[in-house]
Amino acid sequence: MMEKLLTKIDIQNECTYMTKGAQMPFCKGCGHTHILRKLDEALFRIKLNPEDICLVTDIGCIGLADYLFDKVHTVHTTHGRSTAFATGIALADKVLASKKLKTIVLIGDGGAMIGLLHIVNAALLNTDVTVLVADNFLFGMTGGQQSAFSPINFVTQTSPFGNIIPPLDLCKVAISSKAQFVARKISTDKDLVDVIAEAISFEGFSLVEILELCTEYAVEKNKLKGTDLPEIALEHGHQLGLLINEKLRPEFSKIYSEKFMDKPFEFNLFSQFLSTENVNLDQDKFQSKFGESQLEIIIAGSAGEKVQSSAALLCQSAALNGLFTTQKNDNPVTQGSGFSLSEVIISPQEIFYTGVDKPFAIIIVSNDGLNELRSQNYFEKITSDTILIFDESLNMPVLTSKMYKLPLRKSCGPDKAALGGIDFLLNLTQPFQIETFKNLIQKRFGSYENLYKEDILKYLN
Amino acid sequence: MQTSQRKIKLRNGNQMIAEGAIYAGCKFFAGYPITPASGIYKGMIDLLPQVGGLAIPSPDEISAIAYCVGASMRGIKSMTATSGPGWSLMIETVQYALITETPLVIVVVQRLGPATGGATQGAQGDILFTEFATSGGYTIPVLYPTNPRECFELTVKAFNWSEKLRTPVILLSDKEIGMTTETVDYSDLENLIVENREYIDPENSNFEDWKMYGFKDAKDIAKFAPVGGKIKVTATGSAHNMDGELKKNDPETISVLKHLEDKIQSHKDELIDYEYFENPNSNTLIISFGITGRTVREVIRRTKKMNKNVSSLIIRSLFPIPENLFKTISDKYNRIIIAEENLNGQYRRLIQYLFNNKEVIGVNKIGGMITPQEILEKI
Ligand SMILES: Cc1ncc(C[n+]2csc(CCOP(=O)(O)OP(=O)(O)O)c2C)c(N)n1
Ligand code: SF4
Ligand SMILES: [Mg+2]
């Protein structure tokens, strides 16, 4: 029976974090055995509290390692994703919890490639994760297929005539991902324990790629011995040893905590409501004026000309009058150019359906807006009663009984033309106390009167 | 006459999901931008640092969900949000959360598929895609609000159930709910109850009986032990026994695999969330959810004035399928209209068997919201 409480383990006197008497599940001579024994020795050397160690294992033969370590937390994950799970664990621990956890990933060469971006990002974040890559140049567990780490001419199940694709230099990838502790070692190196211990102790991201042999699939086909490993690395220009060990950047949580965590948190979701206390909305009066249906208003113009924020002011003022509103915005995927469009609905009752059926009013302030309304077939929805307010520069493709051709751009300027159009509509139809809208403009722009160079309200008739 | 005792803000569904998550005690979010879900990411980036949490950009959706699973294993309530293309990438990892019984909320804000589809167009086309995403066919609870206020409420509920059942829960939304800014009434939201996973306490007398993935009966959920705590965690995505040990052809392991489903099914009736409007003179019932539920509310409003008799059932908990509710309510009707904004009636085809001997009519479309008129025509 294994001990359920990690706090009960006396690490000063127990010399191993491994399960006593556990059988290594690997083939005879497999490099994984070396690596795991060295990891155990390294852990014993740093004598961390067992509860402060989390071993995150990947898939593959190397992924079987978790059950060999019964005195630490183990998380056996999915293929290649171990580094990502470990990143989540480490981020949460270091920023939000005990801040003591050491998170160690055990991953194969196969896992390192399929999950390469997780390694790259953990390195960029510089979160406190140590990635130990057991590199046996192939997929062991699935029968010895070639991997992105297979040397040139390497014979595997899937490269029977010798591999023709050069192997990845993972350490270089890690270094260009701003990793500050990176080493490439051989599983039989005398100082492997030291390097692993140092990597784990390193505050921040660290990676050790450990070259080893899969005795089952690599040795016979390639006539390899363990002593060939350094040469294989060097032939491909892959440097050996401790490649970088510097501390120019603090570990992630140090930076984050300094920026965000060292202060009191006073945030309240339930404050800053719109002040509607003094509003009495007469639904019947509204409906006798405008009929049963909700008021659908479309505002169209060009990107960068504040169409959508003007529509938001309209909604805000309607809401301040106790009305219900919805606002939908639309623009091309490249948000800074082309048209900009808002659909606003105002109603004295809760708005269920948020689509436009019969527009109450359409305000068009530029050609981009007009073209978009055309291409989205908005004009097919208008009735003879739809109010059309548009800039004098535009030619309307339709006729209604309520058309207002106004010098909006000239009088208000391009970025306030939509605001002018809305103001005109409100003055024309008086759906609520329009002082609210004027006040919002005043607050936002300093003055309401300055909205117009030329008074366009004179066109109200 | 309507006097305003309401507490109003202008908010969209995405913002309300972010706020609901904050209210529920979420302290970790990992995100990757995608329309129409990006607003949730942005919301969490803005809000989490103000409450002592962490929102982290991730390099892809696989990382986003894996970061969340890791954080949740550490004991932190976590959430991520995406849309169809990103959800596609998350499917291996959501299953890992499921088998390791890790609480997690995943928001899927639907857009028009397949593939890149229509990034800025709404749809309800991912009903089957979210639910049937597991190898082995496990039930992931799916909640689906109809408006921003419900986004808040159901986010809290999604967290509560993910915590209590130790399972991933999906909150479905869609572009129209997520990105339409509306007047939202916050009244009473501050009274919603927040629930948390139960932690195992080593001082507890039955600690000796506790197992990482242990249970006594279908409803029983193992108490949680965080990575980094005093109790050894043995988590694995492989089929495992109650202690988390990898075992093949072992009856205990099979019972653990079965329990993953049983625990959801046995709590099924508690998960049910719906809105029922009954017209006693009607023999037609409209079933709908999400954005289409709002169209149906409008239909009900109009039919009341037209002297047409029709009832409505809006489902907010799509999965596990509330079979008993459907059976009991549909008993009173002989025509069932099921409206959903997708190609061929995804949910209808799943629940149709519950309405034997009744006329079942689908209202389906893609490329735009179903209009009140399109439903009225079928009544
Ligand atoms: C997503 C996914 N694809 C494929 C597999 C199948 N698979 C299991 S082990 C393995 C190879 C692992 O190779 P490596 O990471 O080098 O570890 P080794 O077995 O060599 O120790 C693969 C591809 C899987 N588990 N998951
Ligand atoms: S197949 Fe290769 S990697 Fe796997 S255990 Fe055997 S020797 Fe080791
Ligand atoms: Mg390998």
Side-chain angles (χ1 to χ4, degrees), chain B residues 30 39 104 139 156 175 178 192 219 228 239 262 265 298 319 345:
Chain B
L104 172 68
T139 300
V156 176
K175 180 259 165 189
L192 291 176
K219 286 197 139 183
D262 292 346
Q265 291 298 339
E298 178 63 24
F319 299 98

Side-chain angles (χ1 to χ4, degrees), chain A residues 193-449:
Chain A
V193 174
D194 307 298
V195 175
I196 294 177
E198 219 179 323
I200 295 171
S201 306
F202 188 84
E203 232 182 290
F205 179 84
S206 56
L207 180 139
V208 186
E209 180 186 339
I210 307 159
L211 309 184
E212 47 146 337
L213 285 178
C214 165
T215 41
E216 182 70 15
Y217 298 115
V219 169
E220 212 178 324
K221 284 188 182 127
N222 294 289
K223 304 196 173 48
L224 279 183
K225 300 187 296 298
T227 45
D228 298 333
L229 289 170
E231 203 177 315
I232 293 176
L234 296 173
E235 265 173 18
H236 293 86
H238 296 186
Q239 278 183 292
L240 290 164
L242 183 56
L243 305 178
I244 188 169
N245 179 11
E246 62 184 26
K247 258 196 164 166
L248 302 177
R249 279 194 304 149
E251 187 269 326
F252 176 87
S253 69
K254 294 272 175 340
I255 303 173
Y256 186 87
S257 299
E258 197 171 300
K259 207 166 169 137
F260 297 111
M261 304 295 280
D262 297 342
K263 56 166 191 230
F265 302 113
E266 284 153 2
F267 179 72
N268 179 8
L269 283 172
F270 299 98
S271 64
Q272 297 182 320
F273 296 111
L274 294 180
S275 59
T276 55
E277 290 86 40
N278 304 320
V279 175
N280 284 327
L281 183 72
D282 192 335
Q283 188 168 322
D284 295 338
K285 199 169 142 204
F286 190 99
Q287 287 186 339
S288 68
K289 193 164 172 187
F290 297 108
E292 293 276 295
S293 46
Q294 43 205 30
L295 300 189
E296 299 162 0
I297 300 162
I298 293 145
I299 305 153
S302 298
E305 296 186 358
K306 302 213 161 71
V307 170
Q308 299 177 0
S309 60
S310 302
L313 280 189
L314 168 62
C315 289
Q316 210 178 324
S317 52
L320 283 167
N321 279 281
L323 290 156
F324 291 83
T325 68
T326 67
Q327 180 182 351
K328 281 185 209 201
N329 297 331
D330 193 10
N331 32 255
V333 268
T334 50
Q335 302 203 354
S337 69
F339 71 94
S340 177
L341 205 146
S342 286
E343 281 180 7
V344 168
I345 301 178
I346 297 174
S347 171
Q349 0 165 32
E350 189 177 349
I351 298 163
F352 297 142
Y353 179 66
T354 60
V356 167
D357 248 353
K358 288 189 207 111
F360 170 71
I362 300 181
I363 300 167
I364 314 166
V365 296
S366 80
N367 212 30
D368 288 329
L370 177 61
N371 287 338
E372 189 59 24
L373 292 181
R374 263 211 206 102
S375 91
Q376 291 197 33
N377 300 324
Y378 274 93
F379 291 112
E380 285 170 18
K381 296 179 180 165
I382 62 165
T383 68
S384 58
D385 281 340
T386 300
I387 300 166
L388 284 181
I389 297 168
F390 53 100
D391 188 69
E392 58 184 3
S393 61
L394 305 172
N395 291 318
M396 286 300 109
V398 287
L399 278 178
T400 75
S401 61
K402 298 171 182 164
M403 305 203 27
Y404 299 88
K405 186 172 186 160
L406 307 174
L408 289 168
R409 297 182 75 84
K410 216 196 285 166
S411 168
C412 308
D415 63 334
K416 295 207 186 72
L419 215 51
I422 294 168
D423 190 46
F424 186 86
L425 175 70
L426 293 180
N427 277 283
L428 182 72
T429 57
Q430 310 272 346
F432 49 78
Q433 289 175 22
I434 60 175
E435 284 303 312
T436 335
F437 185 67
K438 289 186 185 168
N439 292 340
L440 289 177
I441 291 179
Q442 195 116 21
K443 244 200 219 155
R444 177 79 59 93
F445 302 102
S447 125
Y448 168 74
E449 280 69 31

Side-chain angles (χ1 to χ4, degrees), chain B residues 105-327:
Chain B
V105 174
I106 304 144
V107 191
V108 180
V109 188
Q110 296 166 98
R111 64 191 222 182
L112 189 64
T116 305
T120 56
Q121 280 167 281
Q124 298 186 299
D126 298 351
I127 312 295
L128 300 185
F129 184 35
T130 43
E131 182 55 22
F132 298 106
T134 61
S135 194
Y138 287 84
T139 300
I140 303 176
V142 175
L143 303 175
Y144 193 171
T146 70
N147 60 31
R149 185 186 153 94
E150 287 179 12
C151 281
F152 188 104
E153 294 169 324
L154 290 193
T155 304
V156 176
K157 187 164 184 156
F159 269 101
N160 287 351
W161 280 108
S162 81
E163 291 283 310
K164 283 194 288 188
L165 298 181
R166 289 190 54 183
T167 184
V169 172
I170 293 169
L171 186 66
L172 261 187
S173 176
D174 56 60
K175 180 259 165 189
E176 299 293 348
I177 296 170
M179 295 180 67
T180 304
T181 300
E182 314 186 35
T183 34
V184 180
D185 186 356
Y186 280 60
S187 307
D188 299 327
L189 288 182
E190 68 266 41
N191 299 326
L192 291 176
I193 289 167
V194 169
E195 292 171 275
N196 298 308
R197 65 191 84 168
E198 267 192 80
Y199 281 69
I200 179 69
D201 177 3
E203 307 296 317
N204 194 307
S205 55
N206 32 16
F207 177 60
E208 278 313 308
D209 300 334
W210 174 84
K211 290 179 173 185
M212 188 73 200
Y213 300 108
F215 55 90
K216 287 188 209 72
D217 53 41
K219 286 197 139 183
D220 197 23
I221 313 288
K223 292 203 169 78
F224 176 81
V227 165
K230 294 179 166 56
I231 300 159
K232 173 169 165 45
V233 168
T234 308
T236 173
S238 300
H240 50 258
N241 65 14
M242 292 188 183
D243 289 309
E245 296 162 345
L246 193 153
K247 289 272 158 70
K248 230 201 269 180
N249 296 330
D250 158 53
E252 184 176 308
T253 300
I254 300 297
S255 79
V256 171
L257 288 176
K258 281 190 176 154
H259 180 253
L260 289 174
E261 177 66 7
D262 292 346
K263 69 175 182 182
I264 309 289
Q265 291 298 339
S266 62
H267 288 275
K268 164 161 135 170
D269 288 337
E270 299 150 63
L271 271 151
I272 295 181
D273 199 325
Y274 66 98
E275 172 186 297
Y276 179 43
F277 165 77
E278 181 174 337
N279 178 330
N281 301 321
S282 160
N283 54 51
T284 303
L285 173 73
I286 312 172
I287 295 175
S288 63
F289 44 82
I291 189 69
T292 307
R294 298 176 64 149
T295 303
V296 174
R297 285 192 191 123
E298 178 63 24
V299 166
I300 297 295
R301 186 185 267 163
R302 291 188 197 175
T303 49
K304 276 181 190 164
K305 289 175 191 151
M306 297 156 75
N307 272 329
K308 268 195 180 184
N309 295 318
V310 63
S311 299
S312 154
L313 176 60
I314 297 173
I315 292 295
R316 284 189 286 250
S317 58
L318 293 189
F319 299 98
I321 295 174
E323 289 165 345
N324 294 334
L325 178 85
F326 282 136
K327 276 198 208 133

Side-chain angles (χ1 to χ4, degrees), chain B residues 347-365:
Chain B
Y347 201 59
R348 168 168 48 89
R349 291 195 296 170
L350 281 183
I351 61 173
Q352 198 153 14
Y353 76 96
L354 296 164
F355 311 123
N356 264 338
N357 306 322
K358 296 181 198 296
E359 187 187 358
V360 178
I361 303 156
V363 180
N364 302 108
K365 94 187 229 198

